[in-house]
Amino acid sequence: MNPLSLLGLEAAPDAPVVVTQAGALTRRDALAEAAHVALELRAAGAAGAPVVISLDSGAGFLAGLVGAWLAGSTPVLLDPLVRHELDRAVRTTGARAVIRALGAASDGFAAGIPVVSPSGARGRFDGEAPAVADDAPILHLHLGLHR
């Protein structure tokens, strides 16, 4: 299964897929931002491995999620309000990278793995997202304990 088919990003490329106070993000732009994340994950050696996503909802979250899928990675979703769970999420899932907001990269996280930020950058991804086996999860929810 191609997880991107769940989002329908390839249909109507100029249609908005995320609308925020700052404006609308088209499907084409969403894929370009996701491509940037996928390329960064590949460069970091994290393609095909679990990656923790610790982002608020919105365009950056979508870019992180779709970028992880484009890189063949399993996204591990972590509520950004439970930062104290980040080290544990990385440890328990074997994550090889963390996708976070640019400003959050230096708030005490020290697992020694690459940090990737969607940051609105755009790239071009050649090829298709690797298929996910029908019996494999397309994402992992790491539910931390709020302290």
Side-chain angles (χ1 to χ4, degrees), residues 29-79:
D29 290 341
L31 278 173
E33 290 186 15
H36 164 75
V37 171
L39 293 169
E40 291 290 316
L41 290 173
R42 283 183 172 179
V51 296
V52 172
I53 299 175
S54 180
L55 291 165
D56 291 328
S57 60
F61 175 80
L62 181 64
L65 179 65
V66 174
W69 285 336
L70 284 174
S73 296
T74 301
V76 178
L77 304 185
L78 177 67
D79 183 340

mmCIF file of all heavy atoms in Angstrom, residues 29-79:
data_model
loop_
_atom_site.group_PDB
_atom_site.id
_atom_site.type_symbol
_atom_site.label_atom_id
_atom_site.label_comp_id
_atom_site.label_asym_id
_atom_site.label_seq_id
_atom_site.Cartn_x
_atom_site.Cartn_y
_atom_site.Cartn_z
ATOM 1 N N ASP A 29 2.580 22.248 -3.197
ATOM 2 C CA ASP A 29 3.551 22.785 -2.240
ATOM 3 C C ASP A 29 3.759 21.835 -1.064
ATOM 4 O O ASP A 29 4.877 21.707 -0.553
ATOM 5 C CB ASP A 29 3.110 24.161 -1.750
ATOM 6 C CG ASP A 29 3.210 25.223 -2.833
ATOM 7 O OD1 ASP A 29 3.934 25.005 -3.825
ATOM 8 O OD2 ASP A 29 2.551 26.275 -2.685
ATOM 9 N N ALA A 30 2.684 21.174 -0.633
ATOM 10 C CA ALA A 30 2.811 20.207 0.462
ATOM 11 C C ALA A 30 3.749 19.073 0.064
ATOM 12 O O ALA A 30 4.597 18.645 0.848
ATOM 13 C CB ALA A 30 1.440 19.668 0.861
ATOM 14 N N LEU A 31 3.602 18.585 -1.161
ATOM 15 C CA LEU A 31 4.500 17.525 -1.633
ATOM 16 C C LEU A 31 5.939 18.025 -1.753
ATOM 17 O O LEU A 31 6.878 17.290 -1.462
ATOM 18 C CB LEU A 31 4.021 16.972 -2.972
ATOM 19 C CG LEU A 31 2.912 15.927 -2.888
ATOM 20 C CD1 LEU A 31 2.403 15.573 -4.278
ATOM 21 C CD2 LEU A 31 3.403 14.678 -2.172
ATOM 22 N N ALA A 32 6.124 19.279 -2.161
ATOM 23 C CA ALA A 32 7.475 19.837 -2.275
ATOM 24 C C ALA A 32 8.124 19.968 -0.898
ATOM 25 O O ALA A 32 9.319 19.703 -0.739
ATOM 26 C CB ALA A 32 7.433 21.189 -2.984
ATOM 27 N N GLU A 33 7.342 20.378 0.111
ATOM 28 C CA GLU A 33 7.888 20.459 1.470
ATOM 29 C C GLU A 33 8.188 19.063 2.011
ATOM 30 O O GLU A 33 9.204 18.850 2.685
ATOM 31 C CB GLU A 33 6.929 21.220 2.377
ATOM 32 C CG GLU A 33 6.878 22.698 2.041
ATOM 33 C CD GLU A 33 6.050 23.517 3.016
ATOM 34 O OE1 GLU A 33 5.732 23.022 4.107
ATOM 35 O OE2 GLU A 33 5.744 24.674 2.669
ATOM 36 N N ALA A 34 7.324 18.113 1.716
ATOM 37 C CA ALA A 34 7.565 16.736 2.145
ATOM 38 C C ALA A 34 8.805 16.171 1.459
ATOM 39 O O ALA A 34 9.583 15.437 2.076
ATOM 40 C CB ALA A 34 6.344 15.870 1.844
ATOM 41 N N ALA A 35 9.007 16.533 0.203
ATOM 42 C CA ALA A 35 10.195 16.073 -0.520
ATOM 43 C C ALA A 35 11.462 16.574 0.152
ATOM 44 O O ALA A 35 12.454 15.851 0.258
ATOM 45 C CB ALA A 35 10.136 16.540 -1.977
ATOM 46 N N HIS A 36 11.430 17.828 0.626
ATOM 47 C CA HIS A 36 12.587 18.375 1.354
ATOM 48 C C HIS A 36 12.891 17.511 2.581
ATOM 49 O O HIS A 36 14.042 17.146 2.829
ATOM 50 C CB HIS A 36 12.308 19.818 1.769
ATOM 51 C CG HIS A 36 13.250 20.332 2.815
ATOM 52 N ND1 HIS A 36 14.544 20.690 2.533
ATOM 53 C CD2 HIS A 36 13.072 20.516 4.144
ATOM 54 C CE1 HIS A 36 15.133 21.078 3.650
ATOM 55 N NE2 HIS A 36 14.270 20.982 4.642
ATOM 56 N N VAL A 37 11.851 17.178 3.344
ATOM 57 C CA VAL A 37 12.044 16.346 4.542
ATOM 58 C C VAL A 37 12.601 14.980 4.147
ATOM 59 O O VAL A 37 13.543 14.480 4.773
ATOM 60 C CB VAL A 37 10.723 16.203 5.329
ATOM 61 C CG1 VAL A 37 10.846 15.173 6.443
ATOM 62 C CG2 VAL A 37 10.295 17.550 5.897
ATOM 63 N N ALA A 38 12.045 14.371 3.099
ATOM 64 C CA ALA A 38 12.515 13.050 2.663
ATOM 65 C C ALA A 38 13.983 13.089 2.260
ATOM 66 O O ALA A 38 14.757 12.194 2.617
ATOM 67 C CB ALA A 38 11.659 12.552 1.496
ATOM 68 N N LEU A 39 14.373 14.126 1.533
ATOM 69 C CA LEU A 39 15.769 14.254 1.118
ATOM 70 C C LEU A 39 16.690 14.441 2.325
ATOM 71 O O LEU A 39 17.798 13.880 2.365
ATOM 72 C CB LEU A 39 15.919 15.406 0.131
ATOM 73 C CG LEU A 39 15.223 15.188 -1.223
ATOM 74 C CD1 LEU A 39 15.204 16.483 -2.035
ATOM 75 C CD2 LEU A 39 15.881 14.064 -2.006
ATOM 76 N N GLU A 40 16.237 15.221 3.314
ATOM 77 C CA GLU A 40 17.028 15.404 4.542
ATOM 78 C C GLU A 40 17.157 14.090 5.312
ATOM 79 O O GLU A 40 18.228 13.783 5.856
ATOM 80 C CB GLU A 40 16.387 16.473 5.428
ATOM 81 C CG GLU A 40 16.468 17.879 4.868
ATOM 82 C CD GLU A 40 17.890 18.430 4.898
ATOM 83 O OE1 GLU A 40 18.584 18.264 5.913
ATOM 84 O OE2 GLU A 40 18.304 19.032 3.881
ATOM 85 N N LEU A 41 16.084 13.317 5.365
ATOM 86 C CA LEU A 41 16.148 12.020 6.055
ATOM 87 C C LEU A 41 17.103 11.076 5.339
ATOM 88 O O LEU A 41 17.878 10.371 5.982
ATOM 89 C CB LEU A 41 14.748 11.396 6.166
ATOM 90 C CG LEU A 41 13.786 12.093 7.121
ATOM 91 C CD1 LEU A 41 12.389 11.485 7.015
ATOM 92 C CD2 LEU A 41 14.290 12.025 8.563
ATOM 93 N N ARG A 42 17.063 11.078 4.019
ATOM 94 C CA ARG A 42 18.007 10.246 3.258
ATOM 95 C C ARG A 42 19.441 10.676 3.526
ATOM 96 O O ARG A 42 20.314 9.843 3.761
ATOM 97 C CB ARG A 42 17.713 10.344 1.766
ATOM 98 C CG ARG A 42 16.527 9.534 1.322
ATOM 99 C CD ARG A 42 16.357 9.625 -0.178
ATOM 100 N NE ARG A 42 15.335 8.699 -0.613
ATOM 101 C CZ ARG A 42 14.953 8.581 -1.874
ATOM 102 N NH1 ARG A 42 15.504 9.326 -2.812
ATOM 103 N NH2 ARG A 42 14.015 7.721 -2.189
ATOM 104 N N ALA A 43 19.689 11.985 3.499
ATOM 105 C CA ALA A 43 21.045 12.499 3.735
ATOM 106 C C ALA A 43 21.536 12.161 5.140
ATOM 107 O O ALA A 43 22.729 11.963 5.359
ATOM 108 C CB ALA A 43 21.079 14.011 3.508
ATOM 109 N N ALA A 44 20.615 12.068 6.096
ATOM 110 C CA ALA A 44 20.964 11.764 7.480
ATOM 111 C C ALA A 44 21.101 10.262 7.722
ATOM 112 O O ALA A 44 21.427 9.840 8.834
ATOM 113 C CB ALA A 44 19.904 12.344 8.422
ATOM 114 N N GLY A 45 20.842 9.451 6.717
ATOM 115 C CA GLY A 45 20.924 7.994 6.882
ATOM 116 C C GLY A 45 19.741 7.411 7.628
ATOM 117 O O GLY A 45 19.834 6.316 8.166
ATOM 118 N N ALA A 46 18.625 8.133 7.653
ATOM 119 C CA ALA A 46 17.450 7.667 8.398
ATOM 120 C C ALA A 46 16.355 7.101 7.501
ATOM 121 O O ALA A 46 15.318 6.676 8.006
ATOM 122 C CB ALA A 46 16.884 8.814 9.235
ATOM 123 N N ALA A 47 16.558 7.088 6.200
ATOM 124 C CA ALA A 47 15.545 6.547 5.295
ATOM 125 C C ALA A 47 15.314 5.074 5.602
ATOM 126 O O ALA A 47 16.266 4.321 5.815
ATOM 127 C CB ALA A 47 15.971 6.731 3.847
ATOM 128 N N GLY A 48 14.055 4.690 5.649
ATOM 129 C CA GLY A 48 13.704 3.301 5.895
ATOM 130 C C GLY A 48 13.651 2.919 7.359
ATOM 131 O O GLY A 48 13.266 1.805 7.695
ATOM 132 N N ALA A 49 14.016 3.823 8.243
ATOM 133 C CA ALA A 49 14.014 3.550 9.680
ATOM 134 C C ALA A 49 12.915 4.353 10.356
ATOM 135 O O ALA A 49 12.410 5.325 9.792
ATOM 136 C CB ALA A 49 15.365 3.930 10.278
ATOM 137 N N PRO A 50 12.542 3.992 11.571
ATOM 138 C CA PRO A 50 11.586 4.833 12.294
ATOM 139 C C PRO A 50 12.163 6.231 12.525
ATOM 140 O O PRO A 50 13.370 6.380 12.730
ATOM 141 C CB PRO A 50 11.404 4.107 13.634
ATOM 142 C CG PRO A 50 11.842 2.705 13.384
ATOM 143 C CD PRO A 50 12.908 2.790 12.340
ATOM 144 N N VAL A 51 11.288 7.248 12.464
ATOM 145 C CA VAL A 51 11.672 8.629 12.770
ATOM 146 C C VAL A 51 10.588 9.236 13.654
ATOM 147 O O VAL A 51 9.405 9.043 13.402
ATOM 148 C CB VAL A 51 11.884 9.489 11.496
ATOM 149 C CG1 VAL A 51 13.045 8.962 10.683
ATOM 150 C CG2 VAL A 51 10.645 9.564 10.647
ATOM 151 N N VAL A 52 11.002 9.926 14.705
ATOM 152 C CA VAL A 52 10.046 10.556 15.613
ATOM 153 C C VAL A 52 9.640 11.905 15.046
ATOM 154 O O VAL A 52 10.495 12.699 14.645
ATOM 155 C CB VAL A 52 10.647 10.738 17.027
ATOM 156 C CG1 VAL A 52 9.720 11.569 17.908
ATOM 157 C CG2 VAL A 52 10.909 9.383 17.673
ATOM 158 N N ILE A 53 8.334 12.164 15.010
ATOM 159 C CA ILE A 53 7.807 13.472 14.608
ATOM 160 C C ILE A 53 7.227 14.124 15.848
ATOM 161 O O ILE A 53 6.291 13.599 16.457
ATOM 162 C CB ILE A 53 6.726 13.345 13.528
ATOM 163 C CG1 ILE A 53 7.305 12.684 12.272
ATOM 164 C CG2 ILE A 53 6.143 14.724 13.187
ATOM 165 C CD1 ILE A 53 6.281 12.405 11.190
ATOM 166 N N SER A 54 7.811 15.248 16.244
ATOM 167 C CA SER A 54 7.351 15.995 17.408
ATOM 168 C C SER A 54 7.030 17.414 16.960
ATOM 169 O O SER A 54 7.813 18.334 17.143
ATOM 170 C CB SER A 54 8.430 15.989 18.496
ATOM 171 O OG SER A 54 7.999 16.704 19.631
ATOM 172 N N LEU A 55 5.878 17.566 16.308
ATOM 173 C CA LEU A 55 5.457 18.844 15.740
ATOM 174 C C LEU A 55 3.990 19.086 16.049
ATOM 175 O O LEU A 55 3.209 18.144 16.124
ATOM 176 C CB LEU A 55 5.620 18.834 14.218
ATOM 177 C CG LEU A 55 7.021 18.828 13.655
ATOM 178 C CD1 LEU A 55 6.996 18.442 12.185
ATOM 179 C CD2 LEU A 55 7.666 20.191 13.829
ATOM 180 N N ASP A 56 3.625 20.373 16.165
ATOM 181 C CA ASP A 56 2.208 20.719 16.245
ATOM 182 C C ASP A 56 1.551 20.379 14.922
ATOM 183 O O ASP A 56 2.217 20.235 13.903
ATOM 184 C CB ASP A 56 2.040 22.221 16.521
ATOM 185 C CG ASP A 56 2.499 22.599 17.911
ATOM 186 O OD1 ASP A 56 2.373 21.762 18.825
ATOM 187 O OD2 ASP A 56 2.992 23.724 18.078
ATOM 188 N N SER A 57 0.237 20.302 14.936
ATOM 189 C CA SER A 57 -0.473 20.054 13.690
ATOM 190 C C SER A 57 -0.282 21.240 12.754
ATOM 191 O O SER A 57 0.032 22.346 13.184
ATOM 192 C CB SER A 57 -1.954 19.828 13.968
ATOM 193 O OG SER A 57 -2.495 20.977 14.590
ATOM 194 N N GLY A 58 -0.461 21.026 11.490
ATOM 195 C CA GLY A 58 -0.323 22.098 10.512
ATOM 196 C C GLY A 58 0.540 21.680 9.355
ATOM 197 O O GLY A 58 0.808 20.488 9.138
ATOM 198 N N ALA A 59 1.004 22.660 8.601
ATOM 199 C CA ALA A 59 1.769 22.387 7.390
ATOM 200 C C ALA A 59 3.068 21.647 7.692
ATOM 201 O O ALA A 59 3.456 20.734 6.973
ATOM 202 C CB ALA A 59 2.050 23.691 6.656
ATOM 203 N N GLY A 60 3.762 22.038 8.752
ATOM 204 C CA GLY A 60 5.011 21.358 9.106
ATOM 205 C C GLY A 60 4.785 19.912 9.477
ATOM 206 O O GLY A 60 5.565 19.027 9.112
ATOM 207 N N PHE A 61 3.705 19.654 10.201
ATOM 208 C CA PHE A 61 3.379 18.278 10.570
ATOM 209 C C PHE A 61 3.104 17.445 9.327
ATOM 210 O O PHE A 61 3.601 16.333 9.187
ATOM 211 C CB PHE A 61 2.164 18.245 11.506
ATOM 212 C CG PHE A 61 1.716 16.850 11.815
ATOM 213 C CD1 PHE A 61 2.376 16.098 12.760
ATOM 214 C CD2 PHE A 61 0.639 16.296 11.139
ATOM 215 C CE1 PHE A 61 1.978 14.791 13.031
ATOM 216 C CE2 PHE A 61 0.231 15.012 11.400
ATOM 217 C CZ PHE A 61 0.898 14.255 12.346
ATOM 218 N N LEU A 62 2.321 18.007 8.405
ATOM 219 C CA LEU A 62 2.020 17.282 7.170
ATOM 220 C C LEU A 62 3.302 17.000 6.389
ATOM 221 O O LEU A 62 3.504 15.888 5.903
ATOM 222 C CB LEU A 62 1.028 18.068 6.309
ATOM 223 C CG LEU A 62 0.611 17.399 5.003
ATOM 224 C CD1 LEU A 62 -0.159 16.107 5.273
ATOM 225 C CD2 LEU A 62 -0.236 18.351 4.173
ATOM 226 N N ALA A 63 4.184 17.986 6.288
ATOM 227 C CA ALA A 63 5.453 17.795 5.582
ATOM 228 C C ALA A 63 6.287 16.706 6.255
ATOM 229 O O ALA A 63 6.907 15.884 5.574
ATOM 230 C CB ALA A 63 6.237 19.098 5.521
ATOM 231 N N GLY A 64 6.308 16.683 7.579
ATOM 232 C CA GLY A 64 7.063 15.659 8.295
ATOM 233 C C GLY A 64 6.500 14.268 8.083
ATOM 234 O O GLY A 64 7.241 13.310 7.814
ATOM 235 N N LEU A 65 5.188 14.142 8.180
ATOM 236 C CA LEU A 65 4.529 12.847 8.016
ATOM 237 C C LEU A 65 4.724 12.313 6.598
ATOM 238 O O LEU A 65 5.185 11.189 6.398
ATOM 239 C CB LEU A 65 3.041 12.989 8.334
ATOM 240 C CG LEU A 65 2.183 11.737 8.197
ATOM 241 C CD1 LEU A 65 2.598 10.689 9.218
ATOM 242 C CD2 LEU A 65 0.707 12.091 8.364
ATOM 243 N N VAL A 66 4.400 13.128 5.613
ATOM 244 C CA VAL A 66 4.513 12.685 4.225
ATOM 245 C C VAL A 66 5.984 12.499 3.844
ATOM 246 O O VAL A 66 6.330 11.552 3.132
ATOM 247 C CB VAL A 66 3.796 13.667 3.275
ATOM 248 C CG1 VAL A 66 4.023 13.303 1.814
ATOM 249 C CG2 VAL A 66 2.293 13.684 3.588
ATOM 250 N N GLY A 67 6.865 13.367 4.340
ATOM 251 C CA GLY A 67 8.293 13.215 4.068
ATOM 252 C C GLY A 67 8.841 11.909 4.611
ATOM 253 O O GLY A 67 9.659 11.241 3.963
ATOM 254 N N ALA A 68 8.398 11.524 5.793
ATOM 255 C CA ALA A 68 8.824 10.240 6.354
ATOM 256 C C ALA A 68 8.363 9.097 5.465
ATOM 257 O O ALA A 68 9.131 8.174 5.168
ATOM 258 C CB ALA A 68 8.286 10.081 7.777
ATOM 259 N N TRP A 69 7.114 9.155 5.025
ATOM 260 C CA TRP A 69 6.625 8.105 4.125
ATOM 261 C C TRP A 69 7.401 8.077 2.816
ATOM 262 O O TRP A 69 7.726 7.011 2.308
ATOM 263 C CB TRP A 69 5.142 8.297 3.846
ATOM 264 C CG TRP A 69 4.247 7.903 4.983
ATOM 265 C CD1 TRP A 69 4.522 7.024 5.995
ATOM 266 C CD2 TRP A 69 2.929 8.381 5.229
ATOM 267 N NE1 TRP A 69 3.451 6.936 6.850
ATOM 268 C CE2 TRP A 69 2.457 7.743 6.399
ATOM 269 C CE3 TRP A 69 2.095 9.280 4.574
ATOM 270 C CZ2 TRP A 69 1.192 7.983 6.925
ATOM 271 C CZ3 TRP A 69 0.832 9.512 5.098
ATOM 272 C CH2 TRP A 69 0.387 8.867 6.257
ATOM 273 N N LEU A 70 7.701 9.259 2.250
ATOM 274 C CA LEU A 70 8.470 9.300 1.010
ATOM 275 C C LEU A 70 9.849 8.661 1.189
ATOM 276 O O LEU A 70 10.392 8.076 0.254
ATOM 277 C CB LEU A 70 8.643 10.741 0.523
ATOM 278 C CG LEU A 70 7.440 11.399 -0.131
ATOM 279 C CD1 LEU A 70 7.736 12.875 -0.423
ATOM 280 C CD2 LEU A 70 7.033 10.686 -1.412
ATOM 281 N N ALA A 71 10.418 8.793 2.376
ATOM 282 C CA ALA A 71 11.739 8.216 2.648
ATOM 283 C C ALA A 71 11.656 6.739 3.027
ATOM 284 O O ALA A 71 12.678 6.117 3.305
ATOM 285 C CB ALA A 71 12.428 9.003 3.763
ATOM 286 N N GLY A 72 10.438 6.194 3.065
ATOM 287 C CA GLY A 72 10.278 4.790 3.442
ATOM 288 C C GLY A 72 10.394 4.559 4.934
ATOM 289 O O GLY A 72 10.590 3.441 5.386
ATOM 290 N N SER A 73 10.277 5.628 5.711
ATOM 291 C CA SER A 73 10.402 5.548 7.166
ATOM 292 C C SER A 73 9.034 5.356 7.817
ATOM 293 O O SER A 73 8.015 5.738 7.248
ATOM 294 C CB SER A 73 11.036 6.828 7.707
ATOM 295 O OG SER A 73 12.344 6.967 7.213
ATOM 296 N N THR A 74 9.047 4.805 9.022
ATOM 297 C CA THR A 74 7.826 4.704 9.806
ATOM 298 C C THR A 74 7.770 5.899 10.744
ATOM 299 O O THR A 74 8.631 6.050 11.607
ATOM 300 C CB THR A 74 7.806 3.411 10.655
ATOM 301 O OG1 THR A 74 7.908 2.291 9.790
ATOM 302 C CG2 THR A 74 6.529 3.318 11.480
ATOM 303 N N PRO A 75 6.781 6.778 10.568
ATOM 304 C CA PRO A 75 6.664 7.928 11.468
ATOM 305 C C PRO A 75 6.227 7.479 12.863
ATOM 306 O O PRO A 75 5.314 6.679 13.001
ATOM 307 C CB PRO A 75 5.582 8.801 10.825
ATOM 308 C CG PRO A 75 5.307 8.220 9.487
ATOM 309 C CD PRO A 75 5.776 6.811 9.508
ATOM 310 N N VAL A 76 6.901 7.993 13.866
ATOM 311 C CA VAL A 76 6.536 7.774 15.265
ATOM 312 C C VAL A 76 5.999 9.112 15.759
ATOM 313 O O VAL A 76 6.761 10.074 15.890
ATOM 314 C CB VAL A 76 7.756 7.341 16.107
ATOM 315 C CG1 VAL A 76 7.369 7.172 17.567
ATOM 316 C CG2 VAL A 76 8.380 6.068 15.543
ATOM 317 N N LEU A 77 4.700 9.197 15.966
ATOM 318 C CA LEU A 77 4.083 10.468 16.343
ATOM 319 C C LEU A 77 4.172 10.674 17.847
ATOM 320 O O LEU A 77 3.770 9.816 18.626
ATOM 321 C CB LEU A 77 2.626 10.506 15.898
ATOM 322 C CG LEU A 77 2.379 10.261 14.411
ATOM 323 C CD1 LEU A 77 0.893 10.443 14.087
ATOM 324 C CD2 LEU A 77 3.223 11.169 13.549
ATOM 325 N N LEU A 78 4.719 11.826 18.228
ATOM 326 C CA LEU A 78 4.881 12.177 19.630
ATOM 327 C C LEU A 78 4.279 13.558 19.848
ATOM 328 O O LEU A 78 4.612 14.499 19.119
ATOM 329 C CB LEU A 78 6.364 12.196 20.011
ATOM 330 C CG LEU A 78 6.702 12.611 21.435
ATOM 331 C CD1 LEU A 78 6.194 11.572 22.439
ATOM 332 C CD2 LEU A 78 8.197 12.805 21.597
ATOM 333 N N ASP A 79 3.429 13.674 20.815
ATOM 334 C CA ASP A 79 2.833 14.965 21.164
ATOM 335 C C ASP A 79 3.960 15.928 21.530
ATOM 336 O O ASP A 79 4.765 15.640 22.417
ATOM 337 C CB ASP A 79 1.887 14.769 22.352
ATOM 338 C CG ASP A 79 1.153 16.023 22.769
ATOM 339 O OD1 ASP A 79 1.592 17.139 22.438
ATOM 340 O OD2 ASP A 79 0.132 15.884 23.461
#
